[in-house]
Amino acid sequence: MMTKRSEYEYPINRAIRKMIAMKMNVGSSMVRHDGKMAHPVNGYILTSEQILELDSKNELTSWGIREYAERLDKEARTPVLCPVHQIEMLDTTEWDLPNMRFKYCPYQDGCTARYSKETGHITTSDLPSR
Ligand SMILES: [Zn+2]
């Protein structure tokens, strides 16, 4: 049976060869805790999917990688506000769904707002019951 990773193997190897040919500083690939392959490029850590996304947009250049990494970093540091209470949502300490961590609204009377990068803004009623 083909695994998802092997679909990426050839395009990612080609993308890595392309970056090396462009004299980028490409380090040894590693497997992250979530099982995704990560590649150090010019001091940034990018997953195979992110590299292929940049490659598909013809942005696999030192400039494109820096722009992309800085945008991800900025997004990670931008607070997410509850759409109801306009207060900063906090990271949950537990995983609401397998591999998906949600932010919750710390409003004192309770709030059903949840947010994740994958789903955007939802409420707890949008979550499948456990
Ligand atoms: Zn709220």
Side-chain angles (χ1 to χ4, degrees):
M1 193 182 137
M2 296 285 282
T3 63
K4 189 152 192 204
R5 186 182 299 168
S6 65
E7 288 170 31
Y8 284 115
E9 238 153 37
Y10 178 62
I12 189 64
N13 288 345
R14 194 176 47 192
I16 286 170
R17 278 202 305 275
K18 196 193 277 188
M19 292 190 290
I20 291 169
M22 288 190 286
K23 305 270 188 268
M24 289 191 218
N25 184 6
V26 183
S28 307
S29 305
M30 55 193 130
V31 182
R32 294 198 320 195
H33 63 276
D34 61 3
K36 289 188 176 177
M37 292 297 291
H39 312 269
V41 182
N42 288 354
Y44 302 108
I45 306 288
L46 296 172
T47 64
S48 301
E49 288 86 348
Q50 290 169 333
I51 288 171
L52 294 176
E53 184 193 333
L54 286 168
D55 197 21
S56 72
K57 295 190 288 186
N58 285 320
E59 289 174 5
L60 201 62
T61 60
S62 291
W63 185 86
I65 286 168
R66 193 184 66 219
E67 288 285 301
Y68 184 76
E70 285 179 357
R71 182 158 48 85
L72 287 183
D73 186 50
K74 197 177 163 193
E75 277 175 12
R77 283 184 287 123
T78 302
V80 177
L81 300 182
C82 170
V84 182
H85 302 108
Q86 301 299 317
I87 55 177
E88 184 174 350
M89 299 178 79
L90 306 176
D91 288 318
T92 50
T93 51
E94 65 177 72
W95 297 84
D96 291 292
L97 289 172
N99 302 318
M100 202 178 286
R101 182 170 271 180
F102 287 89
K103 287 178 182 290
Y104 73 100
C105 170
Y107 186 67
Q108 54 187 358
D109 291 338
C111 179
T112 59
R114 295 291 182 276
Y115 174 88
S116 83
K117 235 186 253 175
E118 291 81 5
T119 64
H121 284 288
I122 60 169
T123 68
T124 48
S125 60
D126 296 317
L127 293 170
S129 55
R130 280 182 273 186

